[in-house]
Amino acid sequence: MKNNIILDLLYPKHITCNICSNDIFEKENNGICSECQKTLPKIVGQVCFGCGMPIHSIDRYCDLCKKSKPYEMARSCYEYKDNIVTLIHNFKFHNARYLAEDFAKDLYNLYKEKKYDCDIIVPVPMTENRLKFRGYNQAGLLANELAKLLNLPVDEQNLLKVKDTKSQVGLDFSERKNNLLDAFKTKDKKFFKGKKVLIVDDIFTTGATIECCAKALKKGLASEVFAITIAHTVKGFDKKD
Ligand SMILES: [Zn+2]
Ligand SMILES: [Zn+2]
């Protein structure tokens, strides 16, 4: 306990809200106040059984998921719009790493709600070049915080992104998949054998990234692959790389 107090003094947590800039007094939050938390566009109601996108039809699957996918199921906490766009932007590009703890609580709740039951957590990897340039992998931060809450191991060594890819902005699903072709591979061929793997990322856009990671994991003999992300792109908010 004493150590925590000293650490808090050395590294004070962000104390203003990323959305409204008011001071945050709640001990449990780092970067968003409880009032703004309530405004986030949580996904409720019917979603595609495969990718978790909100759908308003009698179909169980969206058009993209009607073909079989290399992962069992993907789910997201929020629609990628409104305040969540600001939060994720700060998290990825403005060094607001402390938001990982806040987001991990949302991911944890979703994991429990969906009754996921995985053996290991794997963040969507970055290439070494990209990691050097960016300084951190936001998916890795999320995976580590979520792993603490779920008491599961994280692995960041055995699923690798081995190819730098062009920005995905403006590309559709098949262009994204082509762009990502052979971008991911597993290192130790036996590491994922028979494991139920949870892929963690910040945004689910077309699902091409998750799909390519899942393919590599299945090639590495993972028995099942699930995915969890903070936000799922909705039409008109296609801004992710
Ligand atoms: Zn606020
Ligand atoms: Zn779908």
Side-chain angles (χ1 to χ4, degrees), residues 17-22 32-37:
C17 173
N18 269 256
I19 304 297
C20 69
S21 303
N22 285 338
I32 181 160
C33 73
S34 54
E35 284 309 304
C36 291
Q37 179 91 44

Side-chain angles (χ1 to χ4, degrees), residues 103-113 146 149-150:
F103 288 140
K105 284 180 214 156
D106 294 328
L107 296 175
Y108 173 84
N109 290 333
L110 187 63
Y111 182 99
K112 290 290 178 193
E113 192 189 311
L146 179 61
L149 299 175
L150 290 170

Side-chain angles (χ1 to χ4, degrees), residues 166 168 170-181 208:
K166 293 187 290 193
Q168 306 256 68
L171 302 185
D172 69 16
F173 177 71
S174 55
E175 290 168 332
R176 280 169 190 247
K177 258 176 76 172
N178 271 339
N179 193 23
L180 291 168
L181 209 65

Side-chain angles (χ1 to χ4, degrees), residues 48-53 61-66 69 71 232:
C48 165
F49 194 75
C51 71
M53 182 174 74
Y61 292 94
C62 75
D63 288 342
L64 281 177
C65 290
K66 281 175 183 154
K69 297 283 169 187
Y71 59 85
H232 199 121

